[in-house]
Amino acid sequence: TWDIMKDLLMKIYNEVIQYEDTSIELGKALDEEVKQLIMPYEEAFNDEDLETVKALMYNLAYEAEKTGFVLGVKTAVHILMEVLDK
């Protein structure tokens, strides 16, 4: 059942949460952070290598956001269950 719930949460994240204002602002902040992190290496690496590194950074951030969302929902459900049991 956890796999089914996780799939549902991923659908919610991918189709709703990532389009919320907070997520859009987080994306803008991520763009700026990636830009700042890449800047010192622009002279040392070719464009293709820089794009590869950027893609890795964005993929890592996306996976972290999804995992954080799932953990947050999981925690909220546990707290709700505790409250309802009392």
Side-chain angles (χ1 to χ4, degrees), residues 4-70:
I4 294 169
M5 179 62 95
K6 190 172 179 184
D7 288 344
L8 177 61
L9 290 174
M10 288 301 94
K11 286 178 185 175
I12 292 169
Y13 180 83
N14 288 326
E15 297 187 24
V16 177
I17 301 300
Q18 73 176 10
Y19 298 107
E20 293 291 316
D21 290 342
T22 304
S23 292
I24 292 169
E25 289 301 316
L26 182 62
K28 290 177 185 176
L30 176 63
D31 288 342
E32 189 58 36
E33 188 65 26
V34 167
K35 183 178 172 183
Q36 293 299 319
L37 289 169
I38 291 292
M39 197 178 307
Y41 303 100
E42 288 178 343
E43 302 280 327
F45 295 100
N46 63 44
D47 290 343
E48 186 177 329
D49 289 341
L50 285 173
E51 288 305 314
T52 299
V53 171
K54 284 181 189 178
L56 289 170
M57 293 171 123
Y58 283 113
N59 287 336
L60 177 62
Y62 176 68
E63 290 301 320
E65 288 174 23
K66 286 192 317 185
T67 300
F69 174 70
V70 170

